[in-house]
Amino acid sequence: MKENNKEQSEKINIRDEFSKEDYKNDQIQIQVKTFKDVNLSIIQMIKYSEIIQEEINKNNIINKIEEKLRRIKDTTQIKDENIKTFFKILNEEEVEINNDQYSDLHKLSNIFKIKTLNKYLSKYAKKHSKDIDFIVTQIQENKNEQNSTKEERENQANSSEYEKCLIDKINECFVNEKFNELPIYIVYRIIKESSIQKLDHNLLYEYIERNKEERYILYRFLNLQYLKEEKFNELYENYKNDQKSKSTTFKYYEYLTHQLTYIKELKEINKSQEKQIKTLLINNQQLQTQIKQITSAKQDIETNNQQLQTQIKQITSEKQDIETNNQQLQTQIKQITSEKKDIETNNEQLQLQITQMYKENQELMTKMTQTNEENQKIQNHL
């Protein structure tokens, strides 16, 4: 814990905290008839004036301070080392302070009315207002001074205010080592004022179990339904074992506001239902997988069908083109056949004409031959 305090310590030099307002308070005004008013520093006058120093000694101011310190030691729990640190600060030395020193320095600052130091300590407290270690330390100091003098009690910070700072950080407190040092009645008070909805019941359970002999009364705030299964089972087993052995620790469980056995039965029912739900979920997942597969197959079939429909359309279109071409060819064939018939008819007519002409030619030839023969005869006769 000391190492932790070293990490959290801060350097202070009271000279750096001395403000203009403090400087004005240090000034006194001396009135002299022969010249105007003169402002002097009380601190500087004491430092340099032997007359004032002698007056201080005559009035036993040093003895009074010593007497006050003895009374502080006899009537308070302020540590000697913190008194030494206090005077080092007043001597304008640079010192380090931590959470453990804060309360003693705050008390001494109030006792001696050191306004400048009080201002610094107020800033320190504000800076560490969310520091659990700091808050717990102040609560402990307040608790330790409950039987101190009236003067000391008036200088105490209000413990309830510190406790309020821990209410919103209760879950962090459960795992904080310093928080373990607080007495159970203070912890009880803090948890009672905390929001049950924000309370981490698993951390609360762990906190109780670390020192069940002192903290079992906190079972009153533990809501079993929010415990993790392993922690609930651990608590239930401890309960059953203590019940069987008739251990004195069995009384601890009286502070549980819920019946462990009943909750256990509910948890078993819930566990069984969870298994059924898991089985149904698995079956549902399998059905979903099958549906996805069927849907995918259906999509493939629809895609293939669309492709086939496209092919059929293409074939039908090609068929229509072929039929159109065929009709055109049939028409052409008919035309050609008709033209052929016309040609054949013309050819027959030409053949007839040729035959006729051939006959006629033969006849002419015959006649020519006859004529030639006759002519020859005639010539021969001549």
Side-chain angles (χ1 to χ4, degrees):
M1 188 57 66
K2 286 183 179 180
E3 290 181 2
N4 190 34
N5 284 333
K6 283 183 179 179
E7 291 177 2
Q8 296 180 349
S9 63
E10 293 184 10
K11 289 184 179 180
I12 175 179
N13 190 318
I14 198 169
R15 184 173 58 250
D16 300 333
E17 303 296 325
F18 200 75
S19 66
K20 291 182 180 179
E21 184 180 346
D22 297 322
Y23 177 78
K24 288 178 182 177
N25 293 334
D26 175 49
Q27 302 295 304
I28 60 172
Q29 197 175 68
I30 297 177
Q31 295 181 351
V32 183
K33 292 181 180 179
T34 55
F35 50 83
K36 294 181 178 180
D37 295 344
V38 176
N39 290 327
L40 295 173
S41 167
I42 298 172
I43 295 173
Q44 298 300 322
M45 286 286 289
I46 295 171
K47 182 177 180 179
Y48 294 111
S49 174
E50 292 182 6
I51 293 176
I52 294 177
Q53 292 170 9
E54 288 173 3
E55 288 297 322
I56 289 173
N57 288 327
K58 284 180 184 179
N59 290 312
N60 292 322
I61 292 176
I62 302 300
N63 291 335
K64 289 178 181 179
I65 294 173
E66 290 175 347
E67 176 61 30
K68 196 168 189 67
L69 287 172
R70 279 193 293 271
R71 190 163 61 84
I72 288 171
K73 288 188 66 175
D74 293 340
T75 61
T76 72
Q77 297 183 27
I78 296 176
K79 298 175 184 176
D80 290 348
E81 60 191 61
N82 291 335
I83 295 175
K84 291 178 183 178
T85 300
F86 174 73
F87 283 109
K88 282 183 179 180
I89 292 172
L90 295 184
N91 202 33
E92 296 187 344
E93 295 181 35
E94 186 174 82
V95 297
E96 290 188 351
I97 68 168
N98 55 45
N99 293 344
D100 290 337
Q101 294 173 304
Y102 170 86
S103 184
D104 283 355
L105 292 176
H106 188 262
K107 293 169 192 173
L108 290 168
S109 182
N110 283 334
I111 292 169
F112 287 97
K113 298 183 178 180
I114 312 296
K115 184 178 179 181
T116 304
L117 180 57
N118 259 337
K119 284 193 295 184
Y120 170 78
L121 292 174
S122 294
K123 288 192 288 186
Y124 183 95
K126 186 175 181 180
K127 183 177 179 181
H128 292 79
S129 62
K130 295 183 179 180
D131 180 353
I132 294 174
D133 287 354
F134 172 76
I135 297 170
V136 170
T137 300
Q138 303 321 305
I139 293 174
Q140 288 175 314
E141 292 294 337
N142 289 340
K143 177 181 70 70
N144 293 336
E145 294 293 342
Q146 283 180 354
N147 297 321
S148 62
T149 64
K150 180 180 179 182
E151 182 181 23
E152 287 296 325
R153 287 196 298 273
E154 288 175 352
N155 291 323
Q156 300 292 325
N158 190 338
S159 183
S160 64
E161 291 301 315
Y162 285 119
E163 290 177 20
K164 287 178 182 177
C165 294
L166 296 180
I167 288 173
D168 291 333
K169 303 173 78 66
I170 186 62
N171 292 325
E172 294 177 49
C173 291
F174 289 143
V175 294
N176 182 281
E177 291 185 12
K178 189 74 175 174
F179 188 75
N180 290 328
E181 300 173 13
L182 284 180
I184 192 62
Y185 72 90
I186 293 179
V187 176
Y188 184 96
R189 201 158 54 215
I190 293 170
I191 296 176
K192 185 179 179 182
E193 296 300 321
S194 299
S195 169
I196 299 300
Q197 287 75 20
K198 294 181 180 179
L199 198 65
D200 189 322
H201 294 271
N202 291 285
L203 292 178
L204 172 59
Y205 170 74
E206 291 173 359
Y207 174 78
I208 296 171
E209 291 300 306
R210 284 197 293 271
N211 189 358
K212 187 161 61 176
E213 290 75 15
E214 291 184 7
R215 301 172 182 170
Y216 65 87
I217 192 174
L218 300 180
Y219 275 141
R220 183 184 303 276
F221 303 108
L222 189 64
N223 193 326
L224 301 180
Q225 72 180 86
Y226 294 121
L227 283 183
K228 292 180 180 177
E229 187 174 354
E230 63 270 19
K231 296 190 187 305
F232 177 83
N233 289 336
E234 178 185 309
L235 177 61
Y236 181 73
E237 289 303 318
N238 291 338
Y239 167 78
K240 295 297 288 183
N241 292 335
D242 289 347
Q243 187 183 43
K244 287 180 181 178
S245 62
K246 296 182 180 180
S247 170
T248 55
T249 59
F250 184 68
K251 65 180 180 180
Y252 298 164
Y253 304 100
E254 294 175 1
Y255 289 92
L256 284 168
T257 55
H258 304 281
Q259 293 183 7
L260 269 173
T261 305
Y262 177 65
I263 296 294
K264 177 66 175 175
E265 290 174 358
L266 289 178
K267 280 188 172 288
E268 290 298 327
I269 293 171
N270 185 55
K271 193 174 182 179
S272 174
Q273 290 177 341
E274 284 181 352
K275 286 182 179 179
Q276 292 177 3
I277 291 170
K278 284 181 180 178
T279 302
L280 290 172
L281 285 173
I282 290 170
N283 291 336
N284 185 52
Q285 287 177 348
Q286 291 174 345
L287 288 171
Q288 289 295 330
T289 301
Q290 291 177 0
I291 289 170
K292 286 181 180 178
Q293 291 174 345
I294 292 170
T295 302
S296 177
K298 180 186 174 185
Q299 288 175 345
D300 291 341
I301 291 170
E302 288 177 347
T303 301
N304 290 334
N305 186 45
Q306 287 176 351
Q307 291 174 348
L308 289 172
Q309 288 294 332
T310 301
Q311 290 177 0
I312 289 169
K313 287 180 180 179
Q314 289 175 347
I315 292 170
T316 302
S317 177
E318 289 174 358
K319 180 186 174 186
Q320 288 175 347
D321 292 341
I322 291 170
E323 288 178 346
T324 300
N325 290 334
N326 188 41
Q327 288 175 353
Q328 291 174 349
L329 288 172
Q330 288 294 329
T331 302
Q332 290 176 359
I333 289 169
K334 286 180 180 179
Q335 289 175 348
I336 292 169
T337 302
S338 176
E339 290 174 356
K340 180 186 175 185
K341 286 180 178 179
D342 291 340
I343 291 169
E344 286 177 346
T345 302
N346 291 334
N347 190 39
E348 287 176 356
Q349 290 175 351
L350 286 171
Q351 284 294 329
L352 289 173
Q353 290 176 0
I354 291 170
T355 303
Q356 183 66 32
M357 289 177 69
Y358 180 76
K359 285 180 178 182
E360 290 177 354
N361 188 45
Q362 286 294 324
E363 290 177 352
L364 286 172
M365 289 297 292
T366 301
K367 287 180 178 182
M368 285 179 66
T369 301
Q370 290 176 354
T371 302
N372 285 331
E373 285 178 353
E374 288 178 355
N375 286 331
Q376 188 68 37
K377 285 179 179 183
I378 294 171
Q379 284 182 1
N380 290 332
H381 181 70
L382 289 178

